[in-house]
Amino acid sequence: METYTMSNFNNEELEKRFQEKIDKEIKIEPNDWMPDAYRKNLIRQISQHAHSEVVGMLPEGNWITRAPNLRRKAVLLAKVQDEAGHGLYLYSACETLGADREQTIDDMHDGKAKYSSIFNYPAVTWADMGAIGWLVDGAAIMNQVALCRTSYGPYARAMVKICKEESFHQRQGFEILTTLCKGTEQQKAMAQDALNRFWWPSLMMFGPSDSDSPHSAQSIKWKIKRFTNDELRQQFVDAAAPQADILGLTIPDANLKWNEARQHYDFSEINWDEFWQVLEGNGPCNKERIAARKAAKENGQWVREAATTYAEKRALRKTA
């Protein structure tokens, strides 16, 4: 029986075998051969996902001390802790590809790496916590459930736990809005205002249209993604529109209507100029979010140094 190693094949043959493995739904693991472009694409996507989880803690963390009662405070605190955990899972998945965690974080601080554009919008009322849970986490789930079947093993396994927790986050947000919509006229107006402000940024979360997405086609071929940006966006609108009816809220889109022929909702064109402006760092809270993350890293430097020193001393004692 002949034994094969990577040296037995040229790059073209390796790529062919790699694609065959993906086509057979066999997960790619860290020690497997993979094209450099596949590795780079994953590092870009997973690191951006990790950054989004961590930056996403900021608008919600600001409301922990201002939640209307102890139950709401405890639930929101648990949610923010979940998001921190998600970031850790994803940074760890990124490291299995050879990426340096600190470097990926510095890339975000320097504007070289992106995070979800939705977190560059302010959360100004308690109803925004409901809108973020219902819409933002709802959009995240629409994307992340498919990522449980992504072709890279560590990413797929991390997403299973993340999706379970994100489902709780979405229900938490919907419950906040349900309570407000059953309350006073002012409370329902607050819920409507939150929907008005977060609806379009939530649709932008899925990224640019397919025609303007440089990574989608290759990501679909490699099964990093299972659906295109526009397909996921349509699924989200189809799910959210009936939910808004249940709440008694009006989605801020005069062109939103059910299309019987397509069996989908029609909706207006997104303001792509706003999307690209926010993505390029010109949103309402871009500078504030990056400043907060930079400060967190700088203020926590002594903790990392102390932990490293302790680990080194402990290792020396074991070898002594």
Side-chain angles (χ1 to χ4, degrees), residues 194-214:
L195 172 57
N196 292 345
R197 286 181 288 105
F198 276 94
W199 174 252
W200 291 108
S202 296
L203 295 192
M204 296 176 194
M205 281 181 66
F206 296 99
S209 63
D210 292 346
S211 59
D212 293 322
S213 180

Side-chain angles (χ1 to χ4, degrees), residues 61-238:
N62 192 42
W63 276 94
I64 291 174
T65 58
R66 296 184 286 165
N69 56 50
L70 185 58
R71 174 177 174 270
R72 296 292 187 192
K73 191 187 302 290
V75 172
L76 186 58
L77 179 60
K79 180 184 178 184
V80 172
Q81 289 175 322
D82 284 347
E83 305 295 1
H86 299 173
L88 290 174
Y89 304 150
L90 294 166
Y91 283 129
S92 295
C94 222
E95 288 175 319
T96 66
L97 291 158
D100 180 82
R101 182 184 302 209
E102 293 303 314
Q103 185 58 57
T104 62
I105 293 171
D106 288 340
D107 285 345
M108 176 182 67
H109 294 169
D110 296 337
K112 298 175 184 177
K114 307 296 184 185
Y115 56 88
S116 182
S117 60
I118 189 73
F119 300 119
N120 291 313
Y121 291 86
V124 296
T125 72
W126 173 247
D128 290 3
M129 296 300 97
I132 289 173
W134 171 40
L135 297 175
V136 177
D137 293 320
I141 291 169
M142 197 65 66
N143 183 43
Q144 292 170 5
V145 165
L147 288 175
C148 292
R149 297 188 294 118
T150 191
S151 59
Y152 187 58
Y155 193 19
R157 290 188 288 273
M159 291 314 306
V160 173
K161 179 174 174 58
I162 289 173
C163 282
K164 289 178 180 178
E165 293 175 348
E166 292 290 359
S167 295
F168 154 73
H169 299 169
Q170 185 188 31
R171 289 196 295 273
Q172 173 251 6
F174 194 79
E175 193 228 357
I176 289 174
L177 291 179
T178 300
T179 301
L180 290 173
C181 289
K182 290 180 178 178
T184 65
E185 290 184 10
Q186 291 90 337
Q187 287 173 320
K188 186 169 184 178
M190 186 190 301
Q192 181 64 57
D193 175 65
L195 172 57
N196 292 345
R197 286 181 288 105
F198 276 94
W199 174 252
W200 291 108
S202 296
L203 295 192
M204 296 176 194
M205 281 181 66
F206 296 99
S209 63
D210 292 346
S211 59
D212 293 322
S213 180
H215 304 288
S216 281
Q218 187 61 68
S219 291
I220 292 288
K221 181 181 179 183
W222 280 332
K223 298 188 179 180
I224 295 174
K225 294 173 64 173
R226 296 287 178 153
F227 302 98
T228 69
N229 296 350
D230 287 339
E231 287 172 342
L232 290 168
R233 196 168 4 251
Q234 181 68 67
Q235 289 176 29
F236 173 73
V237 173
D238 290 347

